[in-house]
Amino acid sequence: KQEVTQIPAALSVPEGENLVLNCSFTDSAIYNLQWFRQDPGKGLTSLLLIQSSQREQTSGRLNASLDKSSGRSTLYIAASQPGDSATYLCAVSNPTGGGNKLTFGTGTQLKVEL
Amino acid sequence: DGGITQSPKYLFRKEGQNVTLSCEQNLNHDAMYWYRQDPGQGLRLIYYSQIVNDFQKGDIAEGYSVSREKKESFPLTVTSAQKNPTAFYLCASSIGGRGWGETQYFGPGTRLLVL
């Protein structure tokens, strides 16, 4: 059974700092990995999707990497801003039982302070 | 605007009552999903549907039921058999039909509380 772990559970940084969020998964037979952002009481917004054949994806100040063989992904946020404060979730897609089923981590709660 | 809508935003359930959460999408997506989110836990899959008139159980389907009579709608019923229904419920959709590797798009969620 796939298990996804995110470390740290919470992180507080000053504005402008570069930071890295970590995600690890136990079953490397994945199709893709997604990073999501969730604001309090809201739904999820997809940030980046990395296919299993890819090593990284970039969108603006965000860069996500994937090392499938070691079961790890990182989300790098450059020049953090207070508006980046949210919970960041990673999720992996496994070919079990059909369908695009995602297994989620418990998230990293990020606070960027002025 | 294309997207996923969920209603209501808050829902209160009495003991022994069945309640239904609405999820509608106008993205023309084939696949739809229901997740449950509890504090300190990741999202867990309740049910998913890859196409109209077909759906499969996820990891925590007990006490829930769904239907998929229309492509754009995937309502979730929380039955009286679900003993701990208090949670945040999220609906999602994806293009579907092409197998794997699709982005899932999420609705704003419904918070269910027990009276």
Side-chain angles (χ1 to χ4, degrees), chain A residues 31-32 34 38 42-44 49 51 97-100 105, chain B residues 33 37 40 42 48 50 88 100-104 106-108:
Chain A
Y31 277 109
N32 63 51
Q34 283 186 248
Q38 185 176 31
K42 306 290 186 183
L44 277 63
L49 182 148
Q51 301 291 357
N100 187 17
Chain B
Y33 315 81
Q37 187 176 32
Y48 64 102
Q50 294 177 268
F88 190 49
W100 320 102
E102 309 153 5
T103 298
Q104 289 191 15
F106 283 77

mmCIF file with all atom_site columns, all heavy atoms in Angstrom, chain A residues 31-32 34 38 42-44 49 51 97-100 105, chain B residues 33 37 40 42 48 50 88 100-104 106-108:
data_model
loop_
_atom_site.group_PDB
_atom_site.id
_atom_site.type_symbol
_atom_site.label_atom_id
_atom_site.label_alt_id
_atom_site.label_comp_id
_atom_site.label_asym_id
_atom_site.label_entity_id
_atom_site.label_seq_id
_atom_site.pdbx_PDB_ins_code
_atom_site.Cartn_x
_atom_site.Cartn_y
_atom_site.Cartn_z
_atom_site.occupancy
_atom_site.B_iso_or_equiv
_atom_site.pdbx_formal_charge
_atom_site.auth_seq_id
_atom_site.auth_comp_id
_atom_site.auth_asym_id
_atom_site.auth_atom_id
_atom_site.pdbx_PDB_model_num
ATOM 1   N N   . TYR A 1 31  ? 2.717   6.779  -11.599 1.00 0.00 ? 31  TYR A N   1
ATOM 2   C CA  . TYR A 1 31  ? 2.552   7.380  -12.911 1.00 0.00 ? 31  TYR A CA  1
ATOM 3   C C   . TYR A 1 31  ? 2.926   8.859  -12.889 1.00 0.00 ? 31  TYR A C   1
ATOM 4   O O   . TYR A 1 31  ? 3.473   9.377  -13.843 1.00 0.00 ? 31  TYR A O   1
ATOM 5   C CB  . TYR A 1 31  ? 1.122   7.222  -13.403 1.00 0.00 ? 31  TYR A CB  1
ATOM 6   C CG  . TYR A 1 31  ? 0.879   5.881  -14.034 1.00 0.00 ? 31  TYR A CG  1
ATOM 7   C CD1 . TYR A 1 31  ? 0.104   4.938  -13.401 1.00 0.00 ? 31  TYR A CD1 1
ATOM 8   C CD2 . TYR A 1 31  ? 1.445   5.566  -15.261 1.00 0.00 ? 31  TYR A CD2 1
ATOM 9   C CE1 . TYR A 1 31  ? -0.120  3.699  -13.972 1.00 0.00 ? 31  TYR A CE1 1
ATOM 10  C CE2 . TYR A 1 31  ? 1.240   4.323  -15.842 1.00 0.00 ? 31  TYR A CE2 1
ATOM 11  C CZ  . TYR A 1 31  ? 0.459   3.390  -15.188 1.00 0.00 ? 31  TYR A CZ  1
ATOM 12  O OH  . TYR A 1 31  ? 0.247   2.164  -15.753 1.00 0.00 ? 31  TYR A OH  1
ATOM 13  N N   . ASN A 1 32  ? 2.576   9.517  -11.806 1.00 0.00 ? 32  ASN A N   1
ATOM 14  C CA  . ASN A 1 32  ? 2.945   10.920 -11.688 1.00 0.00 ? 32  ASN A CA  1
ATOM 15  C C   . ASN A 1 32  ? 2.878   11.358 -10.241 1.00 0.00 ? 32  ASN A C   1
ATOM 16  O O   . ASN A 1 32  ? 2.419   10.615 -9.368  1.00 0.00 ? 32  ASN A O   1
ATOM 17  C CB  . ASN A 1 32  ? 2.053   11.825 -12.558 1.00 0.00 ? 32  ASN A CB  1
ATOM 18  C CG  . ASN A 1 32  ? 0.592   11.793 -12.151 1.00 0.00 ? 32  ASN A CG  1
ATOM 19  O OD1 . ASN A 1 32  ? 0.267   11.967 -10.995 1.00 0.00 ? 32  ASN A OD1 1
ATOM 20  N ND2 . ASN A 1 32  ? -0.301  11.582 -13.111 1.00 0.00 ? 32  ASN A ND2 1
ATOM 21  N N   . GLN A 1 34  ? 1.910   14.995 -8.023  1.00 0.00 ? 34  GLN A N   1
ATOM 22  C CA  . GLN A 1 34  ? 1.372   16.354 -8.094  1.00 0.00 ? 34  GLN A CA  1
ATOM 23  C C   . GLN A 1 34  ? 1.620   17.089 -6.783  1.00 0.00 ? 34  GLN A C   1
ATOM 24  O O   . GLN A 1 34  ? 1.532   16.495 -5.709  1.00 0.00 ? 34  GLN A O   1
ATOM 25  C CB  . GLN A 1 34  ? -0.148  16.335 -8.341  1.00 0.00 ? 34  GLN A CB  1
ATOM 26  C CG  . GLN A 1 34  ? -0.543  16.026 -9.758  1.00 0.00 ? 34  GLN A CG  1
ATOM 27  C CD  . GLN A 1 34  ? -2.048  16.179 -9.970  1.00 0.00 ? 34  GLN A CD  1
ATOM 28  O OE1 . GLN A 1 34  ? -2.760  15.222 -10.187 1.00 0.00 ? 34  GLN A OE1 1
ATOM 29  N NE2 . GLN A 1 34  ? -2.531  17.402 -9.903  1.00 0.00 ? 34  GLN A NE2 1
ATOM 30  N N   . GLN A 1 38  ? -3.342  24.393 -0.648  1.00 0.00 ? 38  GLN A N   1
ATOM 31  C CA  . GLN A 1 38  ? -4.662  24.505 -0.047  1.00 0.00 ? 38  GLN A CA  1
ATOM 32  C C   . GLN A 1 38  ? -4.667  25.667 0.947   1.00 0.00 ? 38  GLN A C   1
ATOM 33  O O   . GLN A 1 38  ? -3.893  25.670 1.905   1.00 0.00 ? 38  GLN A O   1
ATOM 34  C CB  . GLN A 1 38  ? -5.076  23.212 0.664   1.00 0.00 ? 38  GLN A CB  1
ATOM 35  C CG  . GLN A 1 38  ? -6.500  23.249 1.196   1.00 0.00 ? 38  GLN A CG  1
ATOM 36  C CD  . GLN A 1 38  ? -6.947  21.946 1.822   1.00 0.00 ? 38  GLN A CD  1
ATOM 37  O OE1 . GLN A 1 38  ? -6.142  21.213 2.384   1.00 0.00 ? 38  GLN A OE1 1
ATOM 38  N NE2 . GLN A 1 38  ? -8.248  21.658 1.748   1.00 0.00 ? 38  GLN A NE2 1
ATOM 39  N N   . LYS A 1 42  ? -10.529 25.894 2.118   1.00 0.00 ? 42  LYS A N   1
ATOM 40  C CA  . LYS A 1 42  ? -10.749 25.925 0.671   1.00 0.00 ? 42  LYS A CA  1
ATOM 41  C C   . LYS A 1 42  ? -10.390 24.595 0.026   1.00 0.00 ? 42  LYS A C   1
ATOM 42  O O   . LYS A 1 42  ? -9.841  23.696 0.654   1.00 0.00 ? 42  LYS A O   1
ATOM 43  C CB  . LYS A 1 42  ? -9.880  27.031 0.042   1.00 0.00 ? 42  LYS A CB  1
ATOM 44  C CG  . LYS A 1 42  ? -10.050 28.401 0.650   1.00 0.00 ? 42  LYS A CG  1
ATOM 45  C CD  . LYS A 1 42  ? -11.390 29.008 0.323   1.00 0.00 ? 42  LYS A CD  1
ATOM 46  C CE  . LYS A 1 42  ? -11.471 30.443 0.831   1.00 0.00 ? 42  LYS A CE  1
ATOM 47  N NZ  . LYS A 1 42  ? -12.805 31.047 0.586   1.00 0.00 ? 42  LYS A NZ  1
ATOM 48  N N   . GLY A 1 43  ? -10.698 24.504 -1.264  1.00 0.00 ? 43  GLY A N   1
ATOM 49  C CA  . GLY A 1 43  ? -10.309 23.331 -2.023  1.00 0.00 ? 43  GLY A CA  1
ATOM 50  C C   . GLY A 1 43  ? -8.833  23.381 -2.384  1.00 0.00 ? 43  GLY A C   1
ATOM 51  O O   . GLY A 1 43  ? -8.098  24.269 -1.957  1.00 0.00 ? 43  GLY A O   1
ATOM 52  N N   . LEU A 1 44  ? -8.402  22.408 -3.189  1.00 0.00 ? 44  LEU A N   1
ATOM 53  C CA  . LEU A 1 44  ? -7.004  22.307 -3.590  1.00 0.00 ? 44  LEU A CA  1
ATOM 54  C C   . LEU A 1 44  ? -6.788  22.947 -4.954  1.00 0.00 ? 44  LEU A C   1
ATOM 55  O O   . LEU A 1 44  ? -7.634  22.821 -5.847  1.00 0.00 ? 44  LEU A O   1
ATOM 56  C CB  . LEU A 1 44  ? -6.574  20.842 -3.664  1.00 0.00 ? 44  LEU A CB  1
ATOM 57  C CG  . LEU A 1 44  ? -6.150  20.153 -2.380  1.00 0.00 ? 44  LEU A CG  1
ATOM 58  C CD1 . LEU A 1 44  ? -7.292  20.067 -1.382  1.00 0.00 ? 44  LEU A CD1 1
ATOM 59  C CD2 . LEU A 1 44  ? -5.623  18.761 -2.696  1.00 0.00 ? 44  LEU A CD2 1
ATOM 60  N N   . LEU A 1 49  ? 2.565   19.205 -11.904 1.00 0.00 ? 49  LEU A N   1
ATOM 61  C CA  . LEU A 1 49  ? 2.428   17.762 -12.089 1.00 0.00 ? 49  LEU A CA  1
ATOM 62  C C   . LEU A 1 49  ? 3.683   17.268 -12.787 1.00 0.00 ? 49  LEU A C   1
ATOM 63  O O   . LEU A 1 49  ? 4.081   17.819 -13.828 1.00 0.00 ? 49  LEU A O   1
ATOM 64  C CB  . LEU A 1 49  ? 1.188   17.431 -12.921 1.00 0.00 ? 49  LEU A CB  1
ATOM 65  C CG  . LEU A 1 49  ? 0.889   15.939 -13.161 1.00 0.00 ? 49  LEU A CG  1
ATOM 66  C CD1 . LEU A 1 49  ? -0.604  15.707 -13.253 1.00 0.00 ? 49  LEU A CD1 1
ATOM 67  C CD2 . LEU A 1 49  ? 1.580   15.433 -14.426 1.00 0.00 ? 49  LEU A CD2 1
ATOM 68  N N   . GLN A 1 51  ? 5.346   13.940 -14.481 1.00 0.00 ? 51  GLN A N   1
ATOM 69  C CA  . GLN A 1 51  ? 5.150   12.578 -14.939 1.00 0.00 ? 51  GLN A CA  1
ATOM 70  C C   . GLN A 1 51  ? 6.317   11.722 -14.458 1.00 0.00 ? 51  GLN A C   1
ATOM 71  O O   . GLN A 1 51  ? 7.410   12.221 -14.199 1.00 0.00 ? 51  GLN A O   1
ATOM 72  C CB  . GLN A 1 51  ? 5.069   12.527 -16.475 1.00 0.00 ? 51  GLN A CB  1
ATOM 73  C CG  . GLN A 1 51  ? 3.957   13.354 -17.077 1.00 0.00 ? 51  GLN A CG  1
ATOM 74  C CD  . GLN A 1 51  ? 2.577   12.820 -16.800 1.00 0.00 ? 51  GLN A CD  1
ATOM 75  O OE1 . GLN A 1 51  ? 2.421   11.768 -16.176 1.00 0.00 ? 51  GLN A OE1 1
ATOM 76  N NE2 . GLN A 1 51  ? 1.556   13.539 -17.235 1.00 0.00 ? 51  GLN A NE2 1
ATOM 77  N N   . GLY A 1 97  ? -6.068  -0.872 -9.392  1.00 0.00 ? 97  GLY A N   1
ATOM 78  C CA  . GLY A 1 97  ? -7.520  -0.992 -9.483  1.00 0.00 ? 97  GLY A CA  1
ATOM 79  C C   . GLY A 1 97  ? -8.179  -0.109 -10.515 1.00 0.00 ? 97  GLY A C   1
ATOM 80  O O   . GLY A 1 97  ? -9.389  -0.002 -10.563 1.00 0.00 ? 97  GLY A O   1
ATOM 81  N N   . GLY A 1 98  ? -7.390  0.558  -11.332 1.00 0.00 ? 98  GLY A N   1
ATOM 82  C CA  . GLY A 1 98  ? -8.002  1.381  -12.368 1.00 0.00 ? 98  GLY A CA  1
ATOM 83  C C   . GLY A 1 98  ? -8.273  2.790  -11.933 1.00 0.00 ? 98  GLY A C   1
ATOM 84  O O   . GLY A 1 98  ? -8.506  3.062  -10.764 1.00 0.00 ? 98  GLY A O   1
ATOM 85  N N   . GLY A 1 99  ? -8.227  3.694  -12.845 1.00 0.00 ? 99  GLY A N   1
ATOM 86  C CA  . GLY A 1 99  ? -8.531  5.084  -12.534 1.00 0.00 ? 99  GLY A CA  1
ATOM 87  C C   . GLY A 1 99  ? -7.316  5.837  -12.057 1.00 0.00 ? 99  GLY A C   1
ATOM 88  O O   . GLY A 1 99  ? -6.317  5.270  -11.673 1.00 0.00 ? 99  GLY A O   1
ATOM 89  N N   . ASN A 1 100 ? -7.422  7.147  -12.088 1.00 0.00 ? 100 ASN A N   1
ATOM 90  C CA  . ASN A 1 100 ? -6.331  8.018  -11.694 1.00 0.00 ? 100 ASN A CA  1
ATOM 91  C C   . ASN A 1 100 ? -6.419  8.260  -10.202 1.00 0.00 ? 100 ASN A C   1
ATOM 92  O O   . ASN A 1 100 ? -6.710  9.357  -9.755  1.00 0.00 ? 100 ASN A O   1
ATOM 93  C CB  . ASN A 1 100 ? -6.436  9.318  -12.484 1.00 0.00 ? 100 ASN A CB  1
ATOM 94  C CG  . ASN A 1 100 ? -5.239  10.213 -12.272 1.00 0.00 ? 100 ASN A CG  1
ATOM 95  O OD1 . ASN A 1 100 ? -4.207  9.779  -11.808 1.00 0.00 ? 100 ASN A OD1 1
ATOM 96  N ND2 . ASN A 1 100 ? -5.388  11.479 -12.603 1.00 0.00 ? 100 ASN A ND2 1
ATOM 97  N N   . GLY A 1 105 ? -0.191  13.004 0.844   1.00 0.00 ? 105 GLY A N   1
ATOM 98  C CA  . GLY A 1 105 ? 0.506   13.206 2.095   1.00 0.00 ? 105 GLY A CA  1
ATOM 99  C C   . GLY A 1 105 ? -0.346  14.078 3.001   1.00 0.00 ? 105 GLY A C   1
ATOM 100 O O   . GLY A 1 105 ? -1.400  14.594 2.600   1.00 0.00 ? 105 GLY A O   1
ATOM 101 N N   . TYR B 2 33  ? -14.343 12.406 -8.665  1.00 0.00 ? 33  TYR B N   1
ATOM 102 C CA  . TYR B 2 33  ? -13.849 11.775 -7.438  1.00 0.00 ? 33  TYR B CA  1
ATOM 103 C C   . TYR B 2 33  ? -14.445 12.474 -6.207  1.00 0.00 ? 33  TYR B C   1
ATOM 104 O O   . TYR B 2 33  ? -14.706 13.675 -6.235  1.00 0.00 ? 33  TYR B O   1
ATOM 105 C CB  . TYR B 2 33  ? -12.318 11.896 -7.350  1.00 0.00 ? 33  TYR B CB  1
ATOM 106 C CG  . TYR B 2 33  ? -11.579 11.573 -8.619  1.00 0.00 ? 33  TYR B CG  1
ATOM 107 C CD1 . TYR B 2 33  ? -11.458 12.505 -9.646  1.00 0.00 ? 33  TYR B CD1 1
ATOM 108 C CD2 . TYR B 2 33  ? -10.986 10.330 -8.792  1.00 0.00 ? 33  TYR B CD2 1
ATOM 109 C CE1 . TYR B 2 33  ? -10.781 12.217 -10.808 1.00 0.00 ? 33  TYR B CE1 1
ATOM 110 C CE2 . TYR B 2 33  ? -10.290 10.028 -9.961  1.00 0.00 ? 33  TYR B CE2 1
ATOM 111 C CZ  . TYR B 2 33  ? -10.199 10.982 -10.961 1.00 0.00 ? 33  TYR B CZ  1
ATOM 112 O OH  . TYR B 2 33  ? -9.532  10.687 -12.118 1.00 0.00 ? 33  TYR B OH  1
ATOM 113 N N   . GLN B 2 37  ? -11.434 14.801 3.981   1.00 0.00 ? 37  GLN B N   1
ATOM 114 C CA  . GLN B 2 37  ? -10.247 15.349 4.628   1.00 0.00 ? 37  GLN B CA  1
ATOM 115 C C   . GLN B 2 37  ? -10.536 15.567 6.112   1.00 0.00 ? 37  GLN B C   1
ATOM 116 O O   . GLN B 2 37  ? -11.478 16.266 6.473   1.00 0.00 ? 37  GLN B O   1
ATOM 117 C CB  . GLN B 2 37  ? -9.817  16.683 3.985   1.00 0.00 ? 37  GLN B CB  1
ATOM 118 C CG  . GLN B 2 37  ? -8.506  17.217 4.508   1.00 0.00 ? 37  GLN B CG  1
ATOM 119 C CD  . GLN B 2 37  ? -8.055  18.476 3.787   1.00 0.00 ? 37  GLN B CD  1
ATOM 120 O OE1 . GLN B 2 37  ? -8.864  19.278 3.345   1.00 0.00 ? 37  GLN B OE1 1
ATOM 121 N NE2 . GLN B 2 37  ? -6.747  18.630 3.618   1.00 0.00 ? 37  GLN B NE2 1
ATOM 122 N N   . GLY B 2 40  ? -5.136  16.739 10.293  1.00 0.00 ? 40  GLY B N   1
ATOM 123 C CA  . GLY B 2 40  ? -3.935  15.938 10.519  1.00 0.00 ? 40  GLY B CA  1
ATOM 124 C C   . GLY B 2 40  ? -3.806  14.721 9.631   1.00 0.00 ? 40  GLY B C   1
ATOM 125 O O   . GLY B 2 40  ? -2.845  13.962 9.764   1.00 0.00 ? 40  GLY B O   1
ATOM 126 N N   . GLY B 2 42  ? -4.172  13.111 5.500   1.00 0.00 ? 42  GLY B N   1
ATOM 127 C CA  . GLY B 2 42  ? -4.260  13.454 4.085   1.00 0.00 ? 42  GLY B CA  1
ATOM 128 C C   . GLY B 2 42  ? -5.651  13.185 3.559   1.00 0.00 ? 42  GLY B C   1
ATOM 129 O O   . GLY B 2 42  ? -6.491  12.618 4.250   1.00 0.00 ? 42  GLY B O   1
ATOM 130 N N   . TYR B 2 48  ? -14.960 6.932  -6.794  1.00 0.00 ? 48  TYR B N   1
ATOM 131 C CA  . TYR B 2 48  ? -14.594 7.612  -8.024  1.00 0.00 ? 48  TYR B CA  1
ATOM 132 C C   . TYR B 2 48  ? -15.371 7.020  -9.190  1.00 0.00 ? 48  TYR B C   1
ATOM 133 O O   . TYR B 2 48  ? -15.848 5.884  -9.120  1.00 0.00 ? 48  TYR B O   1
ATOM 134 C CB  . TYR B 2 48  ? -13.085 7.562  -8.284  1.00 0.00 ? 48  TYR B CB  1
ATOM 135 C CG  . TYR B 2 48  ? -12.507 6.190  -8.509  1.00 0.00 ? 48  TYR B CG  1
ATOM 136 C CD1 . TYR B 2 48  ? -12.203 5.734  -9.791  1.00 0.00 ? 48  TYR B CD1 1
ATOM 137 C CD2 . TYR B 2 48  ? -12.204 5.360  -7.431  1.00 0.00 ? 48  TYR B CD2 1
ATOM 138 C CE1 . TYR B 2 48  ? -11.647 4.488  -9.995  1.00 0.00 ? 48  TYR B CE1 1
ATOM 139 C CE2 . TYR B 2 48  ? -11.659 4.109  -7.628  1.00 0.00 ? 48  TYR B CE2 1
ATOM 140 C CZ  . TYR B 2 48  ? -11.373 3.676  -8.905  1.00 0.00 ? 48  TYR B CZ  1
ATOM 141 O OH  . TYR B 2 48  ? -10.822 2.435  -9.096  1.00 0.00 ? 48  TYR B OH  1
ATOM 142 N N   . GLN B 2 50  ? -15.219 6.834  -13.512 1.00 0.00 ? 50  GLN B N   1
ATOM 143 C CA  . GLN B 2 50  ? -14.434 7.109  -14.716 1.00 0.00 ? 50  GLN B CA  1
ATOM 144 C C   . GLN B 2 50  ? -15.317 7.482  -15.896 1.00 0.00 ? 50  GLN B C   1
ATOM 145 O O   . GLN B 2 50  ? -14.828 8.034  -16.886 1.00 0.00 ? 50  GLN B O   1
ATOM 146 C CB  . GLN B 2 50  ? -13.575 5.893  -15.072 1.00 0.00 ? 50  GLN B CB  1
ATOM 147 C CG  . GLN B 2 50  ? -12.491 5.592  -14.036 1.00 0.00 ? 50  GLN B CG  1
ATOM 148 C CD  . GLN B 2 50  ? -11.700 4.356  -14.375 1.00 0.00 ? 50  GLN B CD  1
ATOM 149 O OE1 . GLN B 2 50  ? -12.020 3.260  -13.954 1.00 0.00 ? 50  GLN B OE1 1
ATOM 150 N NE2 . GLN B 2 50  ? -10.641 4.531  -15.138 1.00 0.00 ? 50  GLN B NE2 1
ATOM 151 N N   . PHE B 2 88  ? -14.310 17.469 6.114   1.00 0.00 ? 88  PHE B N   1
ATOM 152 C CA  . PHE B 2 88  ? -14.365 18.360 4.960   1.00 0.00 ? 88  PHE B CA  1
ATOM 153 C C   . PHE B 2 88  ? -14.364 17.467 3.721   1.00 0.00 ? 88  PHE B C   1
ATOM 154 O O   . PHE B 2 88  ? -13.474 16.620 3.566   1.00 0.00 ? 88  PHE B O   1
ATOM 155 C CB  . PHE B 2 88  ? -13.134 19.270 5.000   1.00 0.00 ? 88  PHE B CB  1
ATOM 156 C CG  . PHE B 2 88  ? -13.154 20.409 4.021   1.00 0.00 ? 88  PHE B CG  1
ATOM 157 C CD1 . PHE B 2 88  ? -14.253 21.237 3.904   1.00 0.00 ? 88  PHE B CD1 1
ATOM 158 C CD2 . PHE B 2 88  ? -12.048 20.670 3.234   1.00 0.00 ? 88  PHE B CD2 1
ATOM 159 C CE1 . PHE B 2 88  ? -14.260 22.305 3.019   1.00 0.00 ? 88  PHE B CE1 1
ATOM 160 C CE2 . PHE B 2 88  ? -12.041 21.741 2.345   1.00 0.00 ? 88  PHE B CE2 1
ATOM 161 C CZ  . PHE B 2 88  ? -13.147 22.547 2.232   1.00 0.00 ? 88  PHE B CZ  1
ATOM 162 N N   . TRP B 2 100 ? -3.737  7.383  -17.402 1.00 0.00 ? 100 TRP B N   1
ATOM 163 C CA  . TRP B 2 100 ? -3.069  7.947  -16.236 1.00 0.00 ? 100 TRP B CA  1
ATOM 164 C C   . TRP B 2 100 ? -2.454  9.303  -16.522 1.00 0.00 ? 100 TRP B C   1
ATOM 165 O O   . TRP B 2 100 ? -2.391  9.770  -17.627 1.00 0.00 ? 100 TRP B O   1
ATOM 166 C CB  . TRP B 2 100 ? -1.952  6.985  -15.787 1.00 0.00 ? 100 TRP B CB  1
ATOM 167 C CG  . TRP B 2 100 ? -2.366  5.573  -15.889 1.00 0.00 ? 100 TRP B CG  1
ATOM 168 C CD1 . TRP B 2 100 ? -2.032  4.693  -16.862 1.00 0.00 ? 100 TRP B CD1 1
ATOM 169 C CD2 . TRP B 2 100 ? -3.249  4.874  -15.017 1.00 0.00 ? 100 TRP B CD2 1
ATOM 170 N NE1 . TRP B 2 100 ? -2.633  3.497  -16.627 1.00 0.00 ? 100 TRP B NE1 1
ATOM 171 C CE2 . TRP B 2 100 ? -3.383  3.574  -15.519 1.00 0.00 ? 100 TRP B CE2 1
ATOM 172 C CE3 . TRP B 2 100 ? -3.929  5.232  -13.854 1.00 0.00 ? 100 TRP B CE3 1
ATOM 173 C CZ2 . TRP B 2 100 ? -4.161  2.607  -14.901 1.00 0.00 ? 100 TRP B CZ2 1
ATOM 174 C CZ3 . TRP B 2 100 ? -4.714  4.273  -13.239 1.00 0.00 ? 100 TRP B CZ3 1
ATOM 175 C CH2 . TRP B 2 100 ? -4.817  2.984  -13.755 1.00 0.00 ? 100 TRP B CH2 1
ATOM 176 N N   . GLY B 2 101 ? -1.966  9.911  -15.466 1.00 0.00 ? 101 GLY B N   1
ATOM 177 C CA  . GLY B 2 101 ? -1.169  11.116 -15.627 1.00 0.00 ? 101 GLY B CA  1
ATOM 178 C C   . GLY B 2 101 ? -1.964  12.390 -15.821 1.00 0.00 ? 101 GLY B C   1
ATOM 179 O O   . GLY B 2 101 ? -1.471  13.323 -16.429 1.00 0.00 ? 101 GLY B O   1
ATOM 180 N N   . GLU B 2 102 ? -3.187  12.428 -15.297 1.00 0.00 ? 102 GLU B N   1
ATOM 181 C CA  . GLU B 2 102 ? -4.014  13.607 -15.488 1.00 0.00 ? 102 GLU B CA  1
ATOM 182 C C   . GLU B 2 102 ? -4.065  14.457 -14.240 1.00 0.00 ? 102 GLU B C   1
ATOM 183 O O   . GLU B 2 102 ? -4.128  13.961 -13.124 1.00 0.00 ? 102 GLU B O   1
ATOM 184 C CB  . GLU B 2 102 ? -5.440  13.192 -15.828 1.00 0.00 ? 102 GLU B CB  1
ATOM 185 C CG  . GLU B 2 102 ? -5.548  12.193 -16.941 1.00 0.00 ? 102 GLU B CG  1
ATOM 186 C CD  . GLU B 2 102 ? -6.801  11.354 -16.829 1.00 0.00 ? 102 GLU B CD  1
ATOM 187 O OE1 . GLU B 2 102 ? -7.618  11.620 -15.927 1.00 0.00 ? 102 GLU B OE1 1
ATOM 188 O OE2 . GLU B 2 102 ? -6.966  10.446 -17.638 1.00 0.00 ? 102 GLU B OE2 1
ATOM 189 N N   . THR B 2 103 ? -4.107  15.767 -14.462 1.00 0.00 ? 103 THR B N   1
ATOM 190 C CA  . THR B 2 103 ? -4.303  16.676 -13.338 1.00 0.00 ? 103 THR B CA  1
ATOM 191 C C   . THR B 2 103 ? -5.733  16.561 -12.835 1.00 0.00 ? 103 THR B C   1
ATOM 192 O O   . THR B 2 103 ? -6.673  16.492 -13.616 1.00 0.00 ? 103 THR B O   1
ATOM 193 C CB  . THR B 2 103 ? -4.030  18.121 -13.787 1.00 0.00 ? 103 THR B CB  1
ATOM 194 O OG1 . THR B 2 103 ? -2.674  18.222 -14.201 1.00 0.00 ? 103 THR B OG1 1
ATOM 195 C CG2 . THR B 2 103 ? -4.272  19.098 -12.653 1.00 0.00 ? 103 THR B CG2 1
ATOM 196 N N   . GLN B 2 104 ? -5.881  16.555 -11.512 1.00 0.00 ? 104 GLN B N   1
ATOM 197 C CA  . GLN B 2 104 ? -7.210  16.597 -10.927 1.00 0.00 ? 104 GLN B CA  1
ATOM 198 C C   . GLN B 2 104 ? -7.523  18.026 -10.485 1.00 0.00 ? 104 GLN B C   1
ATOM 199 O O   . GLN B 2 104 ? -6.678  18.705 -9.913  1.00 0.00 ? 104 GLN B O   1
ATOM 200 C CB  . GLN B 2 104 ? -7.318  15.643 -9.728  1.00 0.00 ? 104 GLN B CB  1
ATOM 201 C CG  . GLN B 2 104 ? -7.303  14.180 -10.154 1.00 0.00 ? 104 GLN B CG  1
ATOM 202 C CD  . GLN B 2 104 ? -7.662  13.223 -9.038  1.00 0.00 ? 104 GLN B CD  1
ATOM 203 O OE1 . GLN B 2 104 ? -8.198  13.610 -7.998  1.00 0.00 ? 104 GLN B OE1 1
ATOM 204 N NE2 . GLN B 2 104 ? -7.383  11.937 -9.249  1.00 0.00 ? 104 GLN B NE2 1
ATOM 205 N N   . PHE B 2 106 ? -10.073 20.497 -8.284  1.00 0.00 ? 106 PHE B N   1
ATOM 206 C CA  . PHE B 2 106 ? -10.892 20.358 -7.088  1.00 0.00 ? 106 PHE B CA  1
ATOM 207 C C   . PHE B 2 106 ? -11.926 21.465 -6.949  1.00 0.00 ? 106 PHE B C   1
ATOM 208 O O   . PHE B 2 106 ? -11.706 22.605 -7.365  1.00 0.00 ? 106 PHE B O   1
ATOM 209 C CB  . PHE B 2 106 ? -10.001 20.350 -5.847  1.00 0.00 ? 106 PHE B CB  1
ATOM 210 C CG  . PHE B 2 106 ? -9.309  19.049 -5.620  1.00 0.00 ? 106 PHE B CG  1
ATOM 211 C CD1 . PHE B 2 106 ? -8.199  18.696 -6.366  1.00 0.00 ? 106 PHE B CD1 1
ATOM 212 C CD2 . PHE B 2 106 ? -9.786  18.158 -4.663  1.00 0.00 ? 106 PHE B CD2 1
ATOM 213 C CE1 . PHE B 2 106 ? -7.573  17.470 -6.177  1.00 0.00 ? 106 PHE B CE1 1
ATOM 214 C CE2 . PHE B 2 106 ? -9.158  16.937 -4.462  1.00 0.00 ? 106 PHE B CE2 1
ATOM 215 C CZ  . PHE B 2 106 ? -8.054  16.592 -5.220  1.00 0.00 ? 106 PHE B CZ  1
ATOM 216 N N   . GLY B 2 107 ? -13.058 21.092 -6.325  1.00 0.00 ? 107 GLY B N   1
ATOM 217 C CA  . GLY B 2 107 ? -14.062 22.068 -5.952  1.00 0.00 ? 107 GLY B CA  1
ATOM 218 C C   . GLY B 2 107 ? -13.710 22.728 -4.628  1.00 0.00 ? 107 GLY B C   1
ATOM 219 O O   . GLY B 2 107 ? -12.700 22.385 -4.003  1.00 0.00 ? 107 GLY B O   1
ATOM 220 N N   . PRO B 2 108 ? -14.539 23.673 -4.150  1.00 0.00 ? 108 PRO B N   1
ATOM 221 C CA  . PRO B 2 108 ? -14.240 24.427 -2.937  1.00 0.00 ? 108 PRO B CA  1
ATOM 222 C C   . PRO B 2 108 ? -14.524 23.666 -1.644  1.00 0.00 ? 108 PRO B C   1
ATOM 223 O O   . PRO B 2 108 ? -14.142 24.120 -0.571  1.00 0.00 ? 108 PRO B O   1
ATOM 224 C CB  . PRO B 2 108 ? -15.143 25.648 -3.058  1.00 0.00 ? 108 PRO B CB  1
ATOM 225 C CG  . PRO B 2 108 ? -16.297 25.163 -3.875  1.00 0.00 ? 108 PRO B CG  1
ATOM 226 C CD  . PRO B 2 108 ? -15.727 24.189 -4.846  1.00 0.00 ? 108 PRO B CD  1
#
